[in-house]
Amino acid sequence: MMTTVVVVVLGAFAAAPERFRAIGVNHLGPWFLDLYAILASNDALARGLDPYVYNPLDVFGRPHAYSHWWLKLGEFGLTRGDVLWLGAALGGAFLIATLAWLRPRQPGEVIWSLLVLLSPPMLLALNRANNDLVIFVLLAPVVPCLLSARLWVQSLAVPLLVGAVALKSYPAIALAILLSVTAPRARRRLVFGAALALLIMLPDHIRDLGVYVKKVPEVEGLMTFGARHLWVGLDLPATWARIGGAMVGAVAFAFWWRRDLLKGWEAGERAAWMGFVLGALLLTGCFFAGVSYAYRWVFALWLAPLLWRLPRDHAAPVAARRLAGVTAALLLWALWGDAAASSVIGRVMAGASPERILEVADRFSYMEQPLIWALVFCLLAFLAHFAREVWARLRSGAAN
């Protein structure tokens, strides 16, 4: 049933993407615009142009704002002429990985999973073939690998994680998932292997950051999220806003660590819990590190199974069930709220000037920040519980 609904909705989206503007998915004409920008950078490099400045080969002239590894695509003969089949292949790989992960068990969970999977940020990521989909596909096997009883299979998680860090910096926080491995010897090997790989690639990565970090645009408004949104609304400079957000996040994490809200709860489904932790690490890390476009919500798909099943697990403590229920409700707002606002503002202010429309949209974005922060605080409560698990495991291993 779920696969059928996904195929029907995405088929309608492919046939008439402009009709989905009503839910905040703005189709700008060409398909797979973000993938096109990366391929255009490769084409510019092949012509002897500097891909890190204005690129006349891109639809919007965007400079390359990622690591140099993306510029290796041209060495495989890939050009802008390959954008359609490559974008479709990326979208297909993303959907296969997602459907393999979700696997809802009852009608209610099917509806919940569809609300997450077919939300505007996911459709927008598919429409643009955004490179966050590449990171999602790359990290999708990490949890299954770590759950394997074979060390060589567990070890495959390391190159997947390190490869994601090489492509985009933010997956570095996902390396903490290696600490979820319960066997001390295997955990030490995995952490050591990841640390060694990161140490080897660090000089190269630092050079990359020095080249492209200033090319990354500072974004705001609807269909974006980040801790600094609230502080910029208070007229704080972006840097101080980022620092202020990180400090509040650290205080919230310390509070949940001391409060130990999930005391006595142990996840019955190890895979769902580890996937949740992986998604929560990525989302909270990106939230406090800067401002991201809505594509980054694709990692919320890893939150979905636990957020549906935990509130209905009568063996779990009441606090854990309530926290999961509140988190699920806030996640739905995060995925659909901006799209709903975009639709209403577009209809009500159809005759207004673009400047006035943007002003109202920015005001709404600022007003909704308490709800987004509440979601992040909930995720931090779960991550504090994960940290307690890891700490107890490390102490036990040290004692033994």
Side-chain angles (χ1 to χ4, degrees):
M1 173 185 174
M2 180 172 171
T3 304
T4 302
V5 174
V6 170
V7 170
V8 170
V9 172
L10 293 182
F13 183 48
E18 64 280 353
R19 295 189 178 182
F20 284 72
R21 182 172 295 190
I23 60 169
V25 183
N26 190 9
H27 181 68
L28 299 179
W31 279 91
F32 311 138
L33 278 171
D34 291 345
L35 176 60
Y36 189 92
I38 292 175
L39 294 174
S41 294
N42 280 269
D43 288 350
L45 186 64
R47 294 190 184 187
L49 302 176
D50 183 357
Y52 294 99
V53 297
Y54 174 84
N55 186 358
L57 304 182
D58 178 49
V59 176
F60 299 115
R62 291 165 289 181
H64 188 67
Y66 310 105
S67 78
H68 76 280
W69 292 106
W70 296 98
L71 298 176
K72 300 293 184 181
L73 291 175
E75 297 180 11
F76 295 93
L78 296 173
T79 68
R80 288 167 293 163
D82 298 298
V83 68
L84 288 179
W85 75 263
L86 195 58
L90 176 58
F94 167 73
L95 290 172
I96 290 171
T98 299
L99 293 173
W101 169 254
L102 292 175
R103 294 184 182 179
R105 302 170 182 173
Q106 50 185 283
E109 190 174 2
V110 170
I111 296 173
W112 160 252
S113 299
L114 288 172
L115 285 172
V116 178
L117 176 55
L118 298 178
S119 61
M122 313 302 170
L123 295 179
L124 195 60
L126 287 168
N127 180 271
R128 305 286 176 84
N130 185 261
N131 50 23
D132 283 337
L133 297 183
V134 176
I135 304 300
F136 184 96
V137 172
L138 199 57
L139 296 182
V142 166
V143 168
C145 285
L146 294 179
L147 288 171
S148 173
R150 297 179 176 86
L151 182 57
W152 72 269
V153 177
Q154 292 179 345
S155 300
L156 295 177
V158 173
L160 293 171
L161 287 161
V162 173
V165 176
L167 292 176
K168 299 193 78 172
S169 298
Y170 70 80
I173 195 171
L175 289 163
I177 196 65
L178 296 175
L179 298 173
S180 64
V181 175
T182 55
R185 185 180 180 186
R187 183 173 61 245
R188 286 195 298 270
R189 288 185 176 182
L190 293 173
V191 172
F192 177 77
L196 181 61
L198 288 175
L199 187 62
I200 292 172
M201 65 174 280
L202 185 59
D204 190 56
H205 197 66
I206 291 175
R207 282 195 299 271
D208 265 345
L209 288 174
V211 172
Y212 76 80
V213 72
K214 294 181 180 179
K215 308 293 183 181
V216 180
E218 291 282 2
V219 295
E220 58 185 23
L222 296 179
M223 303 303 282
T224 66
F225 78 100
R228 82 174 184 89
H229 274 347
L230 180 62
W231 304 92
V232 170
L234 299 175
D235 293 329
L236 281 178
T239 301
W240 285 105
R242 194 173 288 115
I243 294 172
M247 291 176 63
V248 172
V251 171
F253 183 84
F255 170 80
W256 289 124
W257 176 276
R258 290 180 58 85
R259 180 74 174 80
D260 197 11
L261 183 65
L262 299 177
K263 184 177 182 179
W265 175 68
E266 186 173 347
E269 297 181 52
R270 190 71 183 160
W273 171 233
M274 289 174 63
F276 181 95
V277 170
L278 181 60
L281 285 168
L282 290 163
L283 290 173
T284 54
C286 290
F287 180 78
F288 290 112
V291 179
S292 305
Y293 284 110
Y295 321 122
R296 203 61 53 85
W297 286 113
V298 295
F299 303 114
L301 287 160
W302 288 328
L303 311 180
L306 185 85
L307 290 182
W308 174 264
R309 296 166 192 170
L310 180 52
R312 292 155 185 82
D313 180 6
H314 297 289
V318 174
R321 294 164 57 189
R322 287 177 177 171
L323 178 63
V326 171
T327 306
L330 290 170
L331 179 61
L332 278 185
W333 173 265
L335 295 176
W336 286 91
D338 282 8
S342 176
S343 178
V344 172
I345 292 172
R347 291 177 182 274
V348 172
M349 303 185 65
S353 66
E355 292 77 13
R356 177 58 180 161
I357 293 174
L358 285 175
E359 180 185 348
V360 173
D362 288 343
R363 187 177 301 171
F364 174 85
S365 178
Y366 178 62
M367 291 175 62
E368 73 170 340
Q369 291 311 304
L371 291 175
I372 305 300
W373 276 82
L375 170 60
V376 173
F377 284 169
C378 289
L379 295 180
L380 287 174
F382 281 105
L383 291 178
H385 182 70
F386 169 70
R388 278 186 165 275
E389 283 185 343
V390 170
W391 179 243
R393 206 173 290 133
L394 294 175
R395 289 182 62 186
S396 175
N400 290 336

